[in-house]
Amino acid sequence: MKRLAIFASGGGSNAKALFEYFKDNEQIQLPLVIANKEGAGVFGVAASFGATAIWVKKSQLNNPDFLLPLLQQHRIDGILLAGFLLLIPPYLVAAYPKAILNIHPALLPKFGGAGMHGHHVHEAVLAAGETVSGPTVHLVNEQYDEGRILAQQTVPVLPDDTAETLARRVLEAEHQLYPKTVAAYFLR
Ligand code: GRF
């Protein structure tokens, strides 16, 4: 059995998809949410699935003496980033080798890296004239969006797409791709 923590900064729709997928799963449990924005939507999501949600400031994330005991206390085996905007510090990557996953809303290695989040990603995809986009699930290392790619799912980019319509289509694909990739990876 694996106990995974979700790290999120925003609305938490991917967190919700993960909770729904694993709610009756005995092999994977999601007991803890770490959020770096007070009042983020993901707090409500965590509460509705009975998970503990903790607000962690950037300085606390970067402090191993704060974060590692917290994760150990909840017996966390791995971490799922779901719209988490802070860079994961090297000590955490070292503490959870090959056990931190992220979902990115574009087909990496294109359209990744610092600053490539939210609408910026979809605007860049449209500006480049891409005909397909879609989410990527990858392992996390010390660089933004550069760890090994585990899975991708493509969606079409339509001629009249805006960043908003494309984001919605990609997000729906994220909700399908992330849970099944997490299951395949941690239960391998
Ligand atoms: C998603 O688009 C994800 O790919 C990105 O951040 C967004 C989070 O959305 N990393 P939500 O909070 O899961 O709704």
Side-chain angles (χ1 to χ4, degrees):
M1 198 249 284
K2 299 279 184 191
R3 292 168 59 85
L4 308 177
I6 295 174
F7 283 30
S9 302
S13 73
N14 277 290
K16 183 164 180 247
L18 289 162
F19 278 120
E20 275 169 356
Y21 188 92
F22 291 111
K23 68 173 182 266
D24 297 318
N25 193 302
E26 291 181 359
Q27 301 304 311
I28 290 189
Q29 292 185 355
L30 304 171
L32 179 67
V33 169
I34 298 287
N36 69 305
K37 287 215 178 108
E38 205 181 4
V42 74
F43 282 98
V45 174
S48 67
F49 286 91
T52 301
I54 298 176
W55 174 41
V56 167
K57 293 182 227 168
K58 188 176 179 181
S59 58
Q60 293 171 318
L61 174 77
N62 290 328
N63 179 358
D65 295 333
F66 174 84
L67 201 73
L68 292 179
L70 178 63
L71 296 175
Q72 280 153 13
Q73 183 193 330
H74 289 269
R75 293 179 282 118
I76 296 302
D77 302 300
I79 297 170
L80 307 175
L81 307 184
F84 191 65
L85 294 177
L86 301 179
L87 187 63
I88 295 301
Y91 82 81
L92 195 51
V93 177
Y96 285 89
K98 296 192 175 73
I100 308 179
L101 271 56
N102 181 43
I103 188 152
H104 182 79
L107 298 171
L108 294 173
K110 283 178 164 182
F111 309 110
M116 273 293 171
H117 58 85
H119 62 95
H120 300 292
V121 176
H122 305 293
E123 280 160 7
V125 169
L126 292 175
E130 299 287 326
T131 54
V132 290
S133 188
T136 301
V137 178
H138 65 94
L139 292 177
V140 171
N141 62 16
E142 288 87 348
Q143 315 298 324
Y144 273 116
D145 302 330
E146 283 186 13
R148 177 158 68 86
I149 291 172
L150 299 178
Q152 296 184 309
Q153 185 167 325
T154 55
V155 303
V157 178
L158 302 178
D160 56 353
D161 263 338
T162 61
E164 288 72 31
T165 58
L166 179 57
R168 224 174 292 139
R169 195 174 309 120
V170 172
L171 193 61
E172 273 176 37
E174 292 180 38
H175 298 160
Q176 297 166 15
L177 183 68
Y178 207 6
K180 68 181 185 199
T181 306
V182 168
Y185 184 71
F186 282 99
L187 302 179
R188 70 195 185 276

